[in-house]
Amino acid sequence: MKFFIDTANIAQIKEAHDLGILDGVTTNPSLMAKEGIRGEEAIAQHYLAICELVDGGDVSAEVISTDLEGMIEEGKKLAAIHPNIVVKVPMTKDGVKALKWFSDNGIKTNCTLVFSAGQAILAAKAGANYVSPFIGRIDDSSWDGVQLIEQIAHIYSLQGFKTEILAASIRNPLHIVKCAEVGADVCTCPLDAILGLLKHPLTDIGLAKFVEDAKKMQADTAAVK
Ligand code: G3P
């Protein structure tokens, strides 16, 4: 399973990248706006900075238009910023047409705002490279987000669809583990959820004991000298 970070924050992307486990980045208009990025030129510069930082990993950049022509024009401009840009397109009727157009014209896509297996089938049929089910938001509505990932994984494998399942709207480390368990191809996570995977009290207790005993060992070595 690939690890993407779900943020437009350069410091957080760098921290995840420095861990050596980062495969890519996803952004959305809310995440970009949160970083104070305003205007077409600043948006393009920011995507370029992210692409250069993750070097080689896919970077999802979302279209803001909601009509077919607007999405295509915007997607072409986004894709021209860097070869690793993946154009993120919403799951709407025009979005499906845009996915097909991008797929026919060699532009990689990520179909976003997916909340059902039916939508995931449409995204795959339209040639999306990634499909993004929002599992946290599904859980927030008291449905089961991980179950949807499992259902899509089952359908895609049965039908031979090549679209990669990118589990999005991840809220915690358990979401990541569960997504890995049911066959997500990618998890896009906030930095906190990634770092949360590190945590176990027995690791901390065990390390404290090893450090303590190592000090004794060093003291014994000094006594021998
Ligand atoms: O990029 C889409 C996504 O991951 C949204 O997450 O936490 O806003 O539901 P969230």
Side-chain angles (χ1 to χ4, degrees):
M1 186 173 76
K2 286 184 270 187
F3 268 53
F4 288 3
I5 187 165
D6 195 28
T7 183
N9 182 280
I10 297 286
Q12 291 190 9
I13 296 169
K14 190 168 177 339
E15 190 172 339
H17 180 258
D18 288 349
L19 264 179
I21 50 89
L22 193 67
D23 300 300
V25 179
T26 53
T27 63
N28 62 40
S30 308
L31 294 171
M32 290 287 282
K34 199 169 143 193
E35 296 308 310
I37 298 145
R38 305 285 184 269
E40 214 176 307
E41 185 54 35
I43 292 171
Q45 283 308 316
H46 199 77
Y47 285 138
L48 183 61
I50 295 174
C51 290
E52 285 171 353
L53 183 53
V54 295
D55 187 30
D58 282 347
V59 175
S60 286
E62 188 159 340
V63 295
I64 295 161
S65 308
T66 52
D67 63 299
L68 178 61
E69 289 72 24
M71 282 192 252
I72 290 175
E73 277 322 299
E74 232 185 286
K76 284 197 283 192
K77 282 189 199 160
L78 290 170
I81 295 172
H82 193 279
N84 295 339
I85 289 283
V86 174
V87 179
K88 211 169 172 189
V89 177
M91 171 40 71
T92 59
K93 196 192 254 186
D94 274 8
V96 169
K97 292 180 193 171
L99 289 169
K100 180 75 173 78
W101 189 91
F102 289 128
S103 153
D104 289 345
N105 287 275
I107 292 176
K108 285 184 83 175
T109 53
N110 173 359
C111 180
T112 190
L113 290 166
V114 167
F115 294 91
S116 75
Q119 292 178 325
I121 292 171
L122 264 184
K125 286 294 292 176
N129 296 83
Y130 296 102
V131 66
S132 288
F134 277 29
I135 72 165
R137 293 192 195 183
I138 292 174
D139 287 2
D140 292 344
S141 330
S142 76
W143 291 358
D144 189 337
V146 172
Q147 207 170 65
L148 176 62
I149 300 291
E150 190 172 17
Q151 187 185 17
I152 298 170
H154 177 66
I155 293 169
Y156 278 12
S157 114
L158 209 63
Q159 299 295 335
F161 288 134
K162 298 283 174 270
T163 302
E164 291 187 66
I165 304 168
L166 192 164
S169 184
I170 297 282
R171 299 280 158 77
N172 54 55
L174 185 59
H175 267 157
I176 303 176
V177 174
K178 291 281 174 198
C179 284
E181 219 169 41
V182 299
D185 299 290
V186 189
C187 246
T188 189
C189 327
L191 182 63
D192 281 356
I194 298 175
L195 296 180
L197 292 171
L198 285 166
K199 288 186 198 156
H200 199 290
L202 290 179
T203 304
D204 300 338
I205 293 166
L207 182 62
K209 179 72 177 137
F210 286 154
V211 168
E212 189 189 315
D213 290 344
K215 278 184 197 147
K216 284 183 207 157
M217 229 168 36
Q218 283 163 340
D220 289 351
T221 313
V224 168
K225 279 183 189 168

